[in-house]
């Protein structure tokens, strides 16, 4: 694909006013969607403010998490029907911060992927090794395991509703991104695991994003890297002008 994806993961940041202001600024500078597919992933509290500020503009809205059920008696969680009602078209599954800080295990991540895809949403499956796993030479095995478990419940025909984000834990929020070459290598490991299960054609069509200390100075390098179709940006996406500059860089 020529079109690149740029995702702004705000994590646990921004007030309602800031979210609306960010959205207005970004919408005013959106590139044509066939060149760059831009998506913002606000906190649940800001979903509606973002949707209102977005209006009809082609800025996609994603959620950072979602409970793998439509609605119901699950205190503190947000259900998939509620997310769809709020204008969400994609949901992250298995972000490393949730795996690490909240103990989210692979089987729950898989349930989420299954539920999001089943509800017609895009699931963004996040995978990546820790520094210790990398040091121990286990990075590839970790990726293979996270891909195998995370995609286990996904039918071949539904793989087109899945994006995979390679986010090495040691690169997130550290200012030390992976190199584009290392991201390409990891993408190939991911694609090989997908190929083994779903076949050549599906694996080739799978879109893989890189995340971890992406900013306007290094984005173009990742987008030019073989096998990388976009970026999942955290800290550097919080500033609207910074994100607009990244959208420009993504147009190439
Ligand atoms: P940073 O861009 O802040 O390193 O975060 C990456 C990330 O976790 C995006 O999901």
């Amino acid at each position: 694909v020529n079109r690149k994806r740029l995702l702004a993961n705000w994590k646990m940041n921004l007030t309602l006013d800031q979210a609306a202001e960010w959205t207005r600024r970004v919408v005013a500078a959106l590139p044509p969607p066939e060149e760059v597919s831009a998506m913002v992933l606000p906190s649940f509290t800001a979903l509606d403010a973002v949707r209102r500020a977005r209006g009809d503009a082609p800025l996609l809205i994603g959620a950072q998490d979602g409970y793998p059920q439509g609605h119901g008696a699950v205190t503190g969680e947000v259900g998939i029907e509620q997310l769809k009602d709020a204008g969400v078209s994609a949901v992250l599954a298995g972000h490393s911060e949730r795996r690490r800080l909240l103990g989210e295990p692979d089987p729950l991540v898989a349930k989420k992927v299954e539920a999001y895809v089943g509800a017609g949403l895009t699931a963004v499956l996040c995978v990546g090794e820790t520094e210790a796993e990398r040091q121990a030479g286990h990075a590839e095995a970790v990726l293979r395991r996270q891909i195998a478990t995370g995609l286990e419940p996904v039918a071949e025909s539904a793989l087109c509703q899945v994006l995979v984000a390679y986010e090495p834990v040691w690169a997130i929020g550290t200012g030390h991104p992976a190199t584009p070459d290392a991201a390409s290598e990891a993408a190939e490991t991911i694609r090989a695991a997908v190929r083994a299960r779903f076949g050549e054609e599906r694996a080739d069509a799978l879109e893989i994003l890189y995340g971890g200390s992406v900013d306007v100075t290094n984005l173009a390098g990742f987008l030019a890297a073989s096998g990388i179709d976009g970026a999942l940006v955290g800290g550097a996406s919080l500033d609207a002008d910074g994100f607009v500059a990244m959208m420009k860089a993504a147009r190439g």
Side-chain angles (χ1 to χ4, degrees):
V1 272
N2 283 328
R3 180 190 63 167
K4 294 297 181 181
R5 288 188 191 266
L6 200 54
L7 277 63
N9 176 9
W10 289 352
K11 307 191 179 184
M12 199 169 66
N13 292 295
L14 301 195
T15 63
L16 294 180
D17 283 349
Q18 290 169 334
E21 177 63 18
W22 186 101
T23 305
R24 279 191 290 271
R25 285 198 198 199
V26 165
V27 157
L30 272 182
E34 59 275 13
E35 286 181 28
V36 181
S37 167
M39 182 187 295
V40 58
L41 299 102
S43 298
F44 295 133
T45 49
L47 283 172
D48 192 50
V50 167
R51 184 175 52 165
R52 285 166 198 267
R54 176 195 63 177
D56 295 330
L59 172 68
L60 301 173
I61 302 176
Q64 299 170 20
D65 186 47
Y67 194 77
Q69 187 178 305
H71 65 271
V74 190
T75 301
E77 291 293 314
V78 177
I80 296 172
E81 287 168 13
Q82 296 175 303
L83 293 177
K84 290 174 79 168
D85 185 46
V88 162
S89 62
V91 191
L92 300 187
H95 192 283
S96 65
E97 283 150 15
R98 299 194 59 83
R99 294 180 189 263
R100 193 164 49 84
L101 300 170
L102 298 160
E104 212 169 281
D106 278 331
L108 177 58
V109 173
K111 269 208 161 102
K112 290 184 174 184
V113 172
E114 180 180 25
Y116 303 160
V117 165
L121 297 169
T122 296
V124 184
L125 173 62
C126 303
V127 299
E129 79 285 1
T130 64
E131 175 68 25
E133 287 162 344
R134 181 170 79 136
Q135 295 286 350
H138 295 156
E140 284 194 17
V142 168
L143 293 181
R144 281 198 299 266
R145 188 200 74 227
Q146 290 176 339
I147 289 293
T149 330
L151 297 182
E152 201 275 322
V154 177
E156 192 195 321
S157 58
L159 191 65
C160 55
Q161 285 171 254
V162 176
L163 299 176
V164 172
Y166 170 60
E167 297 207 301
V169 178
W170 47 269
I172 295 179
T174 59
H176 301 292
T179 62
D181 281 352
S184 281
E185 262 180 52
E188 187 40 45
T189 300
I190 289 164
R191 227 178 277 285
V194 170
R195 195 177 293 126
R197 159 91 194 280
F198 296 93
E200 188 86 35
E201 213 173 302
R202 299 281 185 188
D204 286 351
L206 176 74
E207 289 186 52
I208 300 178
L209 316 173
Y210 168 77
S213 296
V214 172
D215 62 25
V216 71
T217 68
N218 59 35
L219 174 68
F222 288 108
L223 297 185
S226 133
I228 301 294
D229 303 293
L232 180 51
V233 188
S237 76
L238 290 173
D239 174 59
D241 295 336
F243 192 72
V244 167
M246 282 189 272
M247 291 195 302
K248 275 202 188 114
R251 295 180 76 168

